[in-house]
Each structure stands twice: as C-alpha cells, then as structure tokens.
Amino acid sequence: MNNRYPPILTPLALPKYSLVMRQQPQKARLCSFKDKVDRRPLDPPPIVQLYQNDTVQFNDYYNSANFFLHTTLVNSVDDSDLNYANGNRTTAGSVVQSLHKLKDTNNSEGAFFIFADISVRIEGIFKLKFTLFQINGMDVERLCSVYSQPFQVYSPKTFPGMSESTDLTRSFSDQGVRIRIRKETRASATASIKRKRASHVMSMRNLLITESTSEQRSDYHFNDNL
C-alpha cells in the first residue's frame, strides 16, 4: 500500500508592486542625431501608474524618493533592446523619471511616472520597456517591468502632426507637472491661420475701400466749392 502523499504546493508570492500603462505613446516625429537635439517628444507623452498589490493603491509615499522608472526602446516584434544604432543612442531626452504623487482625472490619488521629454532617433515601429527600480541603502533592486503598445516614428515629411493634449495630460499639467500642452491639432492650427490671414486680407481691403471713398468725397466737396 502506498502511503506517500503528493507534496503540498505553496502558492507563489505575488509581486509587491505592479505597473500599468495609463497613457500609450502613439506616434513621434524623427529626432536627429545632432549634438544640439531638436526634441520631438512622443505623442502623447507616456504615463505609467504604480500600484502596490497588497493595498490595491500605492501608499508608500514615505519611501517614494527611492523609486525610479527607466525606459528603453525595444523591437516591436521580439522585445529585444534597441539602445544603440551605429554607436549612437536611439533615444534622446529623459529616460529616467521619479515618482509623482498626483490626482487622477476622477480626483483619486495615485503614483505616476510621466515621460514628457523623450524622443526617438530612428524611424520605424517600436515599443518602450519601462522598468521599476527601488534604492535600498547601497543596493538597487529591479522590481517589475511593463511594455507599451507599438507606436510609429515618422520621417519629417510623413509625420501627420501632433494631436490635441489628452485630459490626463492636461490634469497633470494643471497640478504643476512640466509637460507640454497642445490645444489644437496641426490641421486645426493651419485652418485657424488661414482664417486669420483671410480676415486680415478682408480688413485691409475694407480699409482701402474706406480710404478710397473718403478721398472721392473730399474731391467732390472741393469741386463743389469752386
């Protein structure tokens, strides 16, 4: 008779922290490899939220200065790192961000990492890998990672233009985060400029007509007095 029992399996411990992409990058204009970089930030700016699994919400703000998030450009197919191309970095701007304690669009408090100043120097379709680190004394511990959805980096000639800023971007800007706000798309801006130019032309035309009419009236009164 077999008295052996199957081993007792203990459940694996869940990771203490997790990352969620709150705002996915969708597109970007190609950034040059020159020393003086003409920044072309991702649109919209990537935003990652940090959760603390045992309490659902992140509440370890006392140690928030010990957390930082690092991002790298990766292949959109196999997630392989694309840190360098021809000996040059494939990204420009700030690839490391500290934690921000902010209120969400629903007024709930949360922990966020905002990448408002990151550009890509190679054309194509890519993803971003975000990795969370925590400083513990003299050591740095890697905690977890999350990937963005694929996005496209366009050449200057094919770039469709920046989109209007999202509600989340606007909300964080209102709370003091240094992040660019765009109120209208390039198509809307172009139409607005055309309307202003047309209005200016009409104003100048009306002014010339008014001046011409005034001169004719002056000539008429002058001739009438002769």
Side-chain angles (χ1 to χ4, degrees):
M1 183 175 179
N2 189 358
N3 293 324
R4 296 182 62 185
Y5 294 94
I8 298 175
L9 299 178
T10 57
L12 295 175
L14 293 173
K16 187 176 181 180
Y17 301 102
S18 62
L19 299 169
V20 174
M21 290 296 306
R22 285 299 310 277
Q23 185 160 278
Q24 299 278 358
Q26 297 177 358
K27 59 181 181 296
R29 179 178 170 178
L30 184 67
C31 176
S32 69
F33 279 99
K34 296 180 180 178
D35 292 335
K36 293 183 179 180
V37 179
D38 180 19
R39 295 287 170 81
R40 302 291 179 177
L42 292 172
D43 180 37
I47 297 177
V48 183
Q49 186 168 2
L50 174 60
Y51 287 92
Q52 196 168 348
N53 289 340
D54 54 356
T55 59
V56 181
Q57 295 293 331
F58 181 83
N59 58 11
D60 194 11
Y61 294 111
Y62 180 79
N63 296 315
S64 61
N66 296 332
F67 294 94
F68 66 91
L69 195 65
H70 178 262
T71 185
T72 54
L73 192 72
V74 299
N75 188 291
S76 62
V77 178
D78 60 9
D79 295 338
S80 58
D81 287 344
L82 297 173
N83 290 327
Y84 292 90
N86 300 321
N88 297 307
R89 291 193 63 87
T90 55
T91 57
S94 302
V95 295
V96 177
Q97 291 295 330
S98 57
L99 185 145
H100 293 267
K101 179 181 178 181
L102 299 165
K103 287 192 174 182
D104 209 332
T105 51
N106 61 1
N107 209 36
S108 62
E109 199 173 72
F112 301 90
F113 299 93
I114 300 111
F115 289 80
D117 181 32
I118 181 170
S119 306
V120 181
R121 290 171 159 172
I122 53 177
E123 188 178 349
I125 299 176
F126 310 100
K127 292 194 294 187
L128 288 175
K129 179 183 179 181
F130 298 91
T131 304
L132 179 67
F133 293 89
Q134 184 179 21
I135 302 172
N136 292 315
M138 299 297 293
D139 299 324
V140 177
E141 181 182 0
R142 183 172 61 182
L143 300 178
C144 57
S145 298
V146 69
Y147 290 87
S148 75
Q149 294 178 356
F151 61 90
Q152 185 166 355
V153 180
Y154 295 85
S155 67
K157 291 184 179 180
T158 60
F159 182 58
M162 301 289 284
S163 302
E164 184 176 349
S165 295
T166 64
D167 291 339
L168 190 61
T169 299
R170 292 174 184 274
S171 175
F172 289 170
S173 176
D174 291 340
Q175 295 176 65
V177 178
R178 295 185 62 182
I179 187 168
R180 297 179 182 178
I181 296 298
R182 191 173 183 85
K183 296 183 178 180
E184 55 185 8
T185 62
R186 185 172 68 175
S188 299
T190 302
S192 177
I193 292 172
K194 288 182 178 179
R195 286 194 299 268
K196 289 180 180 179
R197 287 177 177 173
S199 177
H200 178 69
V201 170
M202 289 298 296
S203 297
M204 292 298 295
R205 184 179 297 172
N206 292 336
L207 179 61
L208 291 173
I209 292 173
T210 302
E211 289 180 350
S212 176
T213 304
S214 298
E215 290 177 358
Q216 290 176 2
R217 288 177 179 175
S218 298
D219 291 340
Y220 172 78
H221 289 301
F222 177 77
N223 293 328
D224 189 52
N225 292 331
L226 290 178

